[in-house]
Amino acid sequence: MEGAPAGHFHTTTPLLESWALSREAGVKVLLKCDNMQPSGSFKIRGIGHFCQQMAKRGCKHLVCSSGGNAGIAAAYSARKLGIPATIVLPETTSLQVVTRLRGQGAEVQLAGKVWDDANLRAQELAKRDGWVNVPPFDHPLIWEGNASLVRELKATLGTPPGALVLAVGGGGLLAGVVAGLVEVGWQHVPIIAMETRGAHSFNAAVEAGKLVTLPDITRVLSEVVDDAEAVSAVQRFLDDERLLVEPACGAALASVYSGLLGSLQAEGRLGPLASVVVIVCGGNGINSGELQALKAKLGQS
């Protein structure tokens, strides 16, 4: 155990200009490489901040029901804080995931056949004295931690980009980026929020007019791409930048590779752009074999 350090757990990640993506988009594309975080994804920003705050409030044990980026961030944070972590996962979880979590020092419990079963077990454990359940995205402290990404952009760029592209899953990154833009006075910067079809809960909420939690002063364009476009973007990004990212991140990259940015401009939904920042959010949930399997399933050679 390492004990609790004074600083935050995330690192200031590189902001790199991509020649290949800039050529595709016809505008300067900057990559915010949060796949290079110590936990492998942006999640360490928000979850690290959440865990540090819980430790200050007397938390003695962290519990989480995610085997993905959130679980890895929780396990990493617990190790840095010097407190135990229990990650509860379904019995169907791959050995690779279990091994990685145990490598971070976490105890892994397998419970039930599906995630709901594991989550119920995690909630039961969190009732123990001093135990805290780590939410993957839905907590103000997590949004607060994720806002650090925008502060880094402000420190590096000085002036705002023309637009910011990110992938939307549970909404924790989006909420943090919105908060960060407001904090640094960049609330006029449009956000292009990308999802894959079939998992497009944010887009569905926008289309239904049910989304009421984002401030009126921010402009969010919600867009959806097919799985095939996301996976194709992952492969092209690997070829262009020698970086392997997961398909959720591929949804954000597809905004460039599919020509969506140009389409939004042609439709008048997006103005002239001097630069675009694409958040490269993570690469834990993929390896070369899984990418080839995804491509084969989608009929991509």
Side-chain angles (χ1 to χ4, degrees):
M1 292 188 179
E2 299 188 9
H8 48 64
F9 295 157
H10 66 268
T11 61
T12 299
T13 51
L15 182 68
L16 305 175
E17 183 174 352
S18 169
W19 176 82
L21 272 78
S22 298
R23 182 185 58 183
E24 283 287 335
V27 64
K28 181 164 74 172
V29 174
L30 301 167
L31 305 172
K32 182 58 172 166
C33 298
D34 255 36
N35 57 318
M36 297 182 183
Q37 289 289 355
S39 71
S41 83
F42 79 94
K43 290 279 188 181
I44 192 60
R45 294 181 182 274
I47 286 178
H49 181 61
F50 174 90
C51 293
Q52 285 181 299
Q53 294 303 310
M54 291 301 106
K56 289 177 182 176
R57 299 175 192 180
C59 169
K60 304 299 183 192
H61 199 123
L62 294 166
V63 60
C64 184
S65 57
S66 166
N69 292 323
I72 293 168
Y76 178 87
S77 299
R79 180 169 62 81
K80 297 291 282 186
L81 287 164
I83 62 177
T86 298
I87 312 296
V88 188
L89 303 171
E91 295 164 0
T92 52
T93 303
S94 71
L95 181 61
Q96 177 186 346
V97 170
V98 172
T99 301
R100 175 153 192 187
L101 289 164
R102 285 177 176 159
Q104 287 288 357
E107 175 201 8
V108 178
Q109 288 190 18
L110 301 178
K113 301 294 184 186
V114 295
W115 178 81
D116 286 344
D117 298 331
N119 190 47
L120 283 172
R121 173 61 178 158
Q123 290 174 355
E124 283 298 313
L125 291 172
K127 294 175 182 177
R128 295 179 178 180
D129 186 44
W131 288 48
V132 172
N133 191 26
V134 181
F137 50 80
D138 192 16
H139 195 283
L141 284 173
I142 288 176
W143 310 334
E144 193 176 284
N146 288 341
S148 61
L149 187 149
V150 181
R151 290 193 290 272
E152 289 175 19
L153 291 178
K154 176 71 180 288
T156 304
L157 293 174
T159 56
L164 216 160
V165 182
L166 52 77
V168 179
L173 178 58
L174 175 61
V177 165
V178 167
L181 290 174
V182 172
E183 180 185 326
V184 304
W186 285 2
Q187 56 265 29
H188 62 283
V189 174
I191 300 169
I192 302 167
M194 302 295 300
E195 293 173 284
T196 51
R197 201 171 307 282
H200 56 292
S201 54
F202 176 74
N203 180 265
V206 171
E207 292 298 317
K210 294 179 179 177
L211 194 76
V212 293
T213 54
L214 291 176
D216 292 336
I217 52 175
T218 56
R219 184 167 170 232
V220 180
L221 304 176
S222 173
E223 298 295 327
V224 178
V225 294
D226 293 328
D227 286 343
E229 291 176 288
V231 171
S232 175
V234 169
Q235 180 64 63
R236 292 183 66 179
F237 190 66
L238 176 61
D239 294 339
D240 287 339
E241 302 294 340
R242 283 77 60 200
L243 294 171
L244 179 58
V245 297
E246 52 205 38
C249 183
L253 297 167
S255 68
V256 176
Y257 288 122
S258 70
L260 175 67
L261 292 179
S263 297
L264 291 173
Q265 289 180 290
E267 294 167 8
R269 298 173 61 200
L270 197 60
L273 299 172
S275 66
V276 175
V277 171
V278 178
I279 299 175
V280 184
C281 53
N284 282 322
I286 192 79
N287 59 37
S288 58
E290 289 168 351
L291 175 58
Q292 296 313 310
L294 281 170
K295 289 172 62 180
K297 183 179 178 181
L298 293 165
Q300 298 177 6
S301 58

